[in-house]
Amino acid sequence: MPELPEVETVRRGLAPFLVGARVDRVEARRPDLRFPLPAGFAERLTGARIDALGRRGKYLMAALSTGETLIMHLGMSGRFTVAAAGTARRPGDFHFAGAADPAHDHVTMEVTGDLGKARIVYNDPRRFGFMDLAPTEALERSTHFSGMGPEPLDEAFSAAMLKAALNGRRAPMKAALLDQAVVAGLGNIYVCEALWRAGVSPRRPAGRLSAATAARLHAAIRAVLLEAIEAGGSSLRDFAGSDGALGYFQHRFSVYDREGAPCPRCGAPVRRFVQSGRSTFACGKCQK
Ligand SMILES: [Zn+2]
């Protein structure tokens, strides 16, 4: 399931084709993804210029010249494929998350931009992803973003903010950090990795962190995200013209999906256990 770093990698991969481009044609092959597509979806996009491609949490946001923003969420299995014919910089077809079965191509967008004509296809076998259109000036008040916590990589996000957001919460650390109102963009993988990096047990009550532990956790969250974005960027650079995969696959985790392997810090075996129905990976020895 794509988390902040994977969505950011997709954003960086798509941006050269989309930013400044004109939308020539849009085809939605079904009326809904996880939710129904907004009324007049193709018509509202066609002819618009894409002025910027941003990200908030796990959402991509394409700001349009029409005053609306196209909001895109990859859900669990969403991916974009770009076919850019005849461009000098990146010839050929390439994918942003491995091979895609065309039966699950749900939305196609043809654009003309600095790199020439490109065909961008949204493919999503499980259809937990979605797209929406909202007025750009009211974006932060839209249902998608109104309750969302701070961006972990913003300068404004501080250890004190993290501590304040966790204060009084009785939930275990793992559940609290998955809550998008505490901090945006984290999912199962990077919560496990950040807690390991900070030496904090996923079972510890979230509301009773010392200032020093909150500072360690804050630094760990940023470090694991930045390293994963860096790994995603490398895979993007190596990727043009190949049929490889982006994101998770080239990135090595310290504890996530490493049950029984030695903890990279203390050598004790990494444990797997279930919290709120999902697997947690942690070191039982050096995470307190
Ligand atoms: Zn350990």
Side-chain angles (χ1 to χ4, degrees), residues 196 255 262-270 282-287:
W196 176 82
V255 288
C263 165
R265 185 164 45 216
C266 76
V270 170
C283 175
K285 198 171 166 199
C286 69
Q287 287 180 251

Side-chain angles (χ1 to χ4, degrees), residues 6-75:
E6 290 75 32
V7 177
E8 178 60 23
T9 299
V10 170
R11 190 194 70 76
R12 292 180 185 188
L14 289 176
F17 299 96
L18 291 186
V19 177
R22 182 79 58 181
V23 179
D24 299 324
R25 201 176 77 86
V26 175
E27 183 190 359
R29 286 175 51 189
R30 47 180 308 129
D32 60 333
L33 296 167
R34 179 174 178 181
F35 308 117
L37 290 168
F41 180 68
E43 293 77 9
R44 283 156 76 181
L45 288 170
T46 304
R49 189 184 63 239
I50 298 170
D51 290 329
L53 185 64
R55 180 193 54 74
R56 176 87 169 94
K58 304 175 198 172
Y59 290 80
L60 290 172
M61 305 174 303
L64 308 173
S65 57
T66 56
E68 290 193 301
T69 289
L70 170 62
I71 298 164
M72 297 170 277
H73 194 288
L74 300 171

